[in-house]
Every structure is written in C-alpha cells, then in structure tokens.
Amino acid sequence: MKYETLFIMVRVAVHADHTSIAEIVNELETQSKLSLTDTANVNILETEILVSRVRNIKNINHGTQSKL
C-alpha cells in the first residue's frame, strides 16, 4: 500500500450562539471532529484542521444581481 498525504478543503456553514467569529473558530478547532471513514482500498490514518479562514459576510452576494 502506498502512503500519501492529501489536502482536502472543506466548507462549513454554521449556526452558533457565539457573538464572535473568533469564538466560533476556536470552538470548532478545539472541540469539533472532522471524520473521514476508511474505504475498501484506503485507510484513513489521521485528520486535522490545517487552516481556518472566515469569509467576510459583507462580500457575499445574496442574489441581488443586476439585470442587463
């Protein structure tokens, strides 16, 4: 079996009781688990959060596109 390191980017939408983005990120990084399961030909050895990035909500387009 060949050993490789894969980098998988995951998008996570959350609803939280925290008032601060930093609190949400900290709780996810310290208490949440990312789960991938083994398959017939692949055994998962380890998972970890490498980078946490927050998108600025003000930059999200909420379907208000101009009609040309």
Side-chain angles (χ1 to χ4, degrees):
M1 181 178 277
K2 188 174 183 179
Y3 288 88
E4 296 288 350
T5 300
L6 306 176
F7 294 91
I8 300 172
M9 182 179 288
V10 177
R11 179 183 169 274
V12 180
V14 300
H15 177 267
D17 293 330
H18 294 296
T19 57
S20 161
I21 295 289
E23 291 174 333
I24 295 169
V25 171
N26 182 58
E27 185 167 326
L28 287 175
E29 287 180 336
T30 58
Q31 298 179 38
S32 185
K33 293 183 181 181
L34 174 61
S35 177
L36 294 172
T37 59
D38 293 347
T39 65
N41 297 305
V42 179
N43 295 89
I44 302 299
L45 303 177
E46 174 185 9
T47 61
E48 67 178 310
I49 298 171
L50 297 175
V51 176
S52 297
R53 184 184 71 159
V54 178
R55 182 188 301 180
N56 185 344
I57 295 213
K58 293 177 183 176
N59 294 335
I60 296 175
N61 184 345
H62 294 284
T64 56
Q65 297 176 350
S66 63
K67 297 177 182 177
L68 298 176

